[in-house]
């Protein structure tokens, strides 16, 4: 953690919510596999005498936090990943010396065609929000960032203040690392978890966070139970028999389950 002073104030970043897992996304610009749960950071601002500053009097919309992706031990940036569709066959690829995976590359030459490993909205603006204890604070929510390679990573977040006409240029005032999280391949992804109380709290205040009332299990995990989705629907229909409304209710439930299965494969919701 790093904190700096400016305008007789010190700034400190804290992880209010750490990501745990996500499904790796592809190289398409519109492909998104949001982290679960979404990373949320809190900014602590102290006056010169060490007391907490009144954040309600600050124009926090101009505050920014930038996200970067690092190795699990927080020592090596994992910024680039080789794009197999773009890299020429003659290009030499050198895998990074640390985890998480062979797909995370360093630049071997100027001809290397690579893409950013961390994609989506990697910059978040400040929001004045009330937490679960109904206390106001400055929060940064990263609900739309995805990772293109499988492995174990951490995120480094850097807080910057906007430059002022008569003051210094914009500079990093505070940094913090997230806990380790795992990016899974499509076949290994266990599914999305239930939304956290903090995510639900901020969603009620207008932050666009996808909310799930129940955990969503991946199709691979359900298939491991030995029953395919179409078999579940067939049995549900036959179980209704001549019960009329009971059969219709069971069929609807199974169709909802199949619909959720498609959502799970997208890693969204």
């Amino acid at each position: 953690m790093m904190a700096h002073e400016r305008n007789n104030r010190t700034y400190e970043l804290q992880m209010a919510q750490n990501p745990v897992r996500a499904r790796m996304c592809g190289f398409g610009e519109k492909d998104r596999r949001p982290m679960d749960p979404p990373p949320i950071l809190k900014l602590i601002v102290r006056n010169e005498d060490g007391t907490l500053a009144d954040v309600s009097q600050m124009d926090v919309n101009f505050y920014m936090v930038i996200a970067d992706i690092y190795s699990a031990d927080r020592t090596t940036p994992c910024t680039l990943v080789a794009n197999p569709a773009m890299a020429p066959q003659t290009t030499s690829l050198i895998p990074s010396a640390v985890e998480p995976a062979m797909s995370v590359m360093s630049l071997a030459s100027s001809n290397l065609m690579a893409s950013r490993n961390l994609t989506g909205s990697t910059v978040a603006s400040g929001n004045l929000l009330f937490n679960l204890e109904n206390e106001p604070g400055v929060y940064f929510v990263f609900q739309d960032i995805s990772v293109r390679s499988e492995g174990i990573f951490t995120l480094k977040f850097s807080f910057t203040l906007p430059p002022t006409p008569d003051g210094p240029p914009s500079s990093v005032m505070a940094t913090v690392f997230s806990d380790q999280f795992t990016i899974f391949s499509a076949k290994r992804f266990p599914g999305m978890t239930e939304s956290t109380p903090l995510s639900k709290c901020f969603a009620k205040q207008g932050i666009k966070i996808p909310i799930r009332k129940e955990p969503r299990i991946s199709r691979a995990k359900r298939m491991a139970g030995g029953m395919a989705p179409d078999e579940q629907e067939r049995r549900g229909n036959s179980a209704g028999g001549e019960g009329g409304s009971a059969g219709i209710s069971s069929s609807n439930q199974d169709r909802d389950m199949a619909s959720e299965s498609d959502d799970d494969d997208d890693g969204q919701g």
Side-chain angles (χ1 to χ4, degrees):
M1 183 184 301
M2 180 182 70
H4 285 297
E5 182 176 343
R6 179 170 164 181
N7 300 328
N8 297 323
R9 286 175 173 169
T10 57
Y11 301 88
E12 177 187 345
L13 275 180
Q14 295 181 353
M15 293 299 306
Q17 179 166 279
N18 282 281
V20 176
R21 65 193 186 194
R23 174 180 166 181
M24 61 185 291
C25 69
F27 288 91
E29 290 300 323
K30 296 183 179 180
D31 191 11
R32 292 288 188 269
R33 311 290 177 179
M35 293 190 179
D36 183 26
I40 300 178
L41 294 97
K42 181 179 182 180
L43 179 67
I44 306 297
V45 184
R46 297 186 184 276
N47 298 314
E48 187 176 10
D49 59 0
T51 58
L52 291 176
D54 185 2
V55 295
S56 64
Q57 303 300 316
M58 302 177 187
D59 193 358
V60 301
N61 292 326
F62 292 98
Y63 291 0
M64 291 190 305
V65 169
I66 303 171
D68 291 302
I69 190 164
Y70 273 69
S71 56
D73 59 5
R74 305 180 178 182
T75 61
T76 307
C78 298
T79 308
L80 299 177
V81 59
N83 188 338
M86 298 173 61
Q89 295 182 356
T90 57
T91 300
S92 174
L93 299 180
I94 301 177
S96 58
V98 297
E99 289 294 337
M102 293 289 288
S103 58
V104 177
M105 300 291 175
S106 59
L107 286 175
S109 69
S110 59
N111 295 325
L112 178 61
M113 303 298 292
S115 299
R116 292 188 61 86
N117 194 21
L118 188 66
T119 185
S121 301
T122 58
V123 178
S125 300
N127 295 277
L128 184 60
L129 301 169
F130 291 86
N131 62 13
L132 296 171
E133 288 72 38
N134 204 32
E135 300 170 340
V138 182
Y139 291 91
F140 303 84
V141 183
F142 288 83
Q143 71 272 47
D144 183 31
I145 54 175
S146 307
V147 181
R148 287 190 165 118
S149 58
E150 184 180 6
I152 301 176
F153 300 92
T154 58
L155 291 174
K156 181 181 180 180
F157 297 96
S158 303
F159 167 68
T160 62
L161 284 174
T164 57
D166 301 327
S170 179
S171 59
V172 175
M173 304 301 296
T175 62
V176 69
F177 278 93
S178 73
D179 291 344
Q180 296 180 7
F181 58 90
T182 303
I183 302 298
F184 294 91
S185 65
K187 292 183 178 180
R188 296 180 59 244
F189 183 55
M192 307 291 281
T193 61
E194 180 181 357
S195 296
T196 65
L198 187 61
S199 293
K200 295 177 182 178
C201 177
F202 287 171
K204 291 179 180 178
Q205 299 176 59
I207 302 300
K208 295 181 179 180
I209 302 178
I211 297 301
R212 297 172 298 279
K213 294 183 179 180
E214 296 180 357
R216 290 189 172 184
I217 308 303
S218 67
R219 174 179 293 180
K221 201 166 185 178
R222 284 200 298 268
M223 293 293 287
M227 184 182 298
D230 56 348
E231 177 67 12
Q232 293 175 356
E233 184 172 358
R234 187 187 66 79
R235 291 192 179 186
N237 292 336
S238 62
E242 299 179 357
S245 61
I248 295 174
S249 175
S250 176
S251 177
N252 289 338
Q253 290 177 357
D254 286 303
R255 280 196 296 270
D256 290 342
M257 182 182 299
S259 176
E260 287 189 1
S261 175
D262 293 338
D263 292 340
D264 297 341
D265 288 344
D266 291 339
Q268 300 189 21

